[in-house]
Amino acid sequence: DGGITQSPKYLFRKEGQNVTLSCEQNLNHDAMYWYRQDPGQGLRLIYYSQIVNDFQKGDIAEGYSVSREKKESFPLTVTSAQKNPTAFYLCATQDRLNQPQHFGDGTRLSIL
Amino acid sequence: RKEVEQDPGPFNVPEGATVAFNCTYSNSASQSFFWYRQDCRKEPKLLMSVYSSGNEDGRFTAQLNRASQYISLLIRDSKLSDSATYLCVVNLFVGQNFVFGPGTRLSVLP
């Protein structure tokens, strides 16, 4: 979606390494979300934030961490504690509750 | 029972066909409903919101049946470009986030 930028598009993680995925938006949306999608599977919620300096765990938060220091930015760190990080990571924003979410074009993470 | 379930698919239909997908949800308090499409190795994109009275957007018609807790998507005159995975999404209101169904894959064949 225009206005949501995820980087990098492809990322490789070495054993024991932490990596950070970037998500930036210029839509002025309050809420931001991180999802994980495994091949042939649905989206699973990792973390979400509905306001700056506040965030909540989703269904599969273990091994991940986030921060929300600015409205525009919601980076996701995949820590070494996440033993199976290979997946497609999607960031989404939402203007208000009950409104649709809009997605960035994703980051593919693989293990070296 | 899973929160959101969809027809497993895949659906393989010829160009010009009409195809319908169903989606059921478990929580009767759900407030918002959407259909997204996702192309292979791409992000989901909003196709349409689903309103209580049903709504239409060109060749696409969405229906909501609250009593039976299901929503449907009808695609008329299928095009090759309609080939994608269609995701049903349900949102409880306060304090809950979107729940995505597993998706139904559609292939429109020449």
Side-chain angles (χ1 to χ4, degrees):
Chain A
D1 276 32
I4 304 171
T5 303
Q6 288 189 243
S7 62
K9 281 197 179 321
Y10 300 94
L11 187 58
F12 297 91
R13 196 191 85 169
K14 294 180 182 178
E15 198 74 32
Q17 185 182 40
N18 293 352
V19 292
T20 298
L21 284 59
S22 171
C23 180
E24 303 279 330
Q25 56 113 348
N26 62 6
L27 301 171
N28 201 35
H29 288 177
D30 285 322
M32 297 185 74
Y33 302 81
W34 275 106
Y35 293 92
R36 168 182 174 141
Q37 188 176 35
D38 292 281
Q41 304 296 314
L43 277 68
R44 293 185 291 168
L45 182 64
I46 305 172
Y47 266 99
Y48 64 100
S49 168
Q50 297 194 343
I51 196 168
V52 174
N53 291 324
D54 186 50
F55 49 83
Q56 306 295 329
K57 292 182 179 180
D59 301 319
I60 56 165
E62 186 174 348
Y64 300 97
S65 65
V66 294
S67 63
R68 186 87 186 275
E69 296 176 1
K70 299 185 300 180
K71 189 174 186 177
E72 301 80 15
S73 178
F74 191 40
L76 173 74
T77 296
V78 184
T79 74
S80 57
Q82 174 48 245
K83 297 306 180 188
N84 186 22
T86 298
F88 187 36
Y89 290 86
L90 288 156
C91 175
T93 71
Q94 186 183 31
D95 188 12
R96 295 184 303 279
L97 288 175
N98 277 9
Q99 294 299 303
Q101 293 183 4
H102 299 274
F103 288 85
D105 56 8
T107 293
R108 292 194 180 276
L109 176 61
S110 301
I111 296 182
L112 279 178
Chain B
R1 183 182 173 188
K2 291 183 181 176
E3 289 185 87
V4 179
E5 297 189 75
Q6 296 187 238
D7 291 332
F11 284 61
N12 299 313
V13 303
E15 267 188 293
T18 295
V19 61
F21 305 136
N22 289 319
C23 167
T24 57
Y25 58 95
S26 60
N27 194 322
S28 60
S30 298
Q31 295 289 324
S32 304
F33 309 89
F34 307 94
W35 283 102
Y36 282 71
R37 70 168 279 166
Q38 185 175 24
D39 294 289
C40 188
R41 299 179 67 82
K42 298 285 189 181
E43 76 277 18
K45 293 189 176 180
L46 178 67
L47 180 64
M48 58 198 304
S49 302
V50 186
Y51 303 119
S52 295
S53 55
N55 47 299
E56 188 174 304
D57 183 2
R59 298 181 293 109
F60 300 85
T61 300
Q63 296 282 348
L64 168 64
N65 184 321
R66 285 191 182 272
S68 301
Q69 294 178 212
Y70 79 83
I71 66 174
S72 63
L73 176 68
L74 182 76
I75 306 176
R76 291 182 299 278
D77 189 22
S78 300
K79 311 291 186 191
L80 295 176
S81 58
D82 294 333
S83 297
T85 296
Y86 290 83
L87 306 176
C88 170
V89 183
V90 175
N91 182 208
L92 293 179
F93 188 40
V94 178
Q96 186 54 272
N97 294 299
F98 280 26
V99 179
F100 287 78
T104 299
R105 186 172 171 185
L106 170 67
S107 293
V108 180
L109 308 172

